[in-house]
Amino acid sequence: MKNYTFTFLFILSTLFSSASQNRKVLIIGIDGTRSDAFQQANTPNIDALLSTSTYSVDSWHTGITWSGPSWSTILTGVNWNKHGVTDNNFTGSNFAQYPPLPTLAKQIKPNLNCAIVAEWDPLIDDINNAGWNRTVKTADGSTFPTADSAVLELQNPDIDFLFAYFDQVDLTGHTSTFSPSNPFYIAAIENVDSAVGRVLNALYARPTYSNEDWLIMVVTDHGGQSFFHGGNSDAERHIWWIASGDMVAHEQINKADPGTYNCHQNNVFDSTCVNYNLMRQSPVQADVTVTALHYLIYDSGINPETKPEWHLDGKSWLWVPSGIADDSFEKSVSVYPNPVRDQVTILCNNRELDAKAEVYDLMGQRITSLPQHSYADRISIDFSPLPSGQYFVKLKSGMNQAIKKIIVLK
Ligand SMILES: [Zn+2]
């Protein structure tokens, strides 16, 4: 019994210590990489993230397909009508009212340590009020020196958030066309992927890595066609979106184009251009900062999506209930017994559960072999084939989902 109690307390303390200051975020930005070319290119380093990611190769740009407004949205979580950037001159920017991610995060956690490594100077010079502890400028298109600068940042034991940005793909598109049939454009994507591999290896090599929980996001700002971008064509708007970590669902999202806010008739925004229901189900650029910010301040209990003074447009993709999901669903789900030796019952009051619950191990691998039985308001799962350890069960009820931790003790 003594042993049992010790083990149980140990597991409990492990559970709760993972909710402390160890959540960290790496965002890798790759400029100008259209989805079809990204899918065609050989990108083993980025692909290795996908099994632990919420990701989409059918993400759609919802604003102005220039780098200035796009990265401004990615880094602030608001659309251009708020951050004010409509082109690469950054005139009219309003980062005082809609600051970038580090400044927002530090309103909750002032001691967060944030750095940016970027090849395109305006990301550092013109997206101001950002709150970076360190800014590192590298040469346009330099790729591997940029990766090396990012590696240096990741060797800092105190870093909490790093944004690393590469523009070789966009530069190659402008000089030789943005096209999956352009071998130079594909080669540039593959080259940046190699640099990403160098950055990720440095992250995994951190001496403290096993005690840290990293959210890794890889995103682009727009596609392109011929030698240009800036318009509303599919080739310019069809992009991709990746968030890898333990607190996001591990699934690919395929949704139709939710439309664009860059849609005007007689200089008035035409709201019929956006399908808001689809927008809520699709990963878009404004979601990058909201998801990353939510992750960095998670133990404060604040969901940035619904913090009124921030007025953010994006949504969080973390597993926890969000402003979109109905958190009464999460609360209505109970699990017993827990810890469990064999049979778990998951009961949901007053709701219809979707027919199947998904079970994951700590590595995010889905376990499909467990016998389970579904009833209208409950699911029973037999955990007896599994060794002792911590698992997650994901449940859905319509649009809502809940994640429950299950501890198996043998
Ligand atoms: Zn460009």
Side-chain angles (χ1 to χ4, degrees), residues 54-59 251-255 281-283 317:
T54 292
Y55 73 98
S56 180
V57 291
D58 288 311
S59 178
E251 63 187 5
Q252 182 177 6
I253 299 192
N254 299 303
K255 296 290 176 188
Q281 299 171 46
S282 309
W317 285 86

Side-chain angles (χ1 to χ4, degrees), residues 3 34 36-38 41 53 80 119 123 139 182 192 205 219 233 254 307 348 400:
N3 261 345
R34 52 187 269 183
D36 52 2
F38 173 66
S53 291
W80 94 93
E119 296 176 350
L123 293 184
N182 171 11
V192 171
V219 293
S233 70
N254 299 303
K307 188 170 165 59
C348 184
N400 299 298

Side-chain angles (χ1 to χ4, degrees), residues 31-32 65-67 88 170-171 174 178 221-223 227-229:
D31 205 296
T65 60
W66 291 106
S67 290
N88 289 352
D170 184 69
L171 297 173
H174 285 297
F178 294 81
D221 59 337
H222 54 70
F227 294 90
F228 308 105
H229 55 84

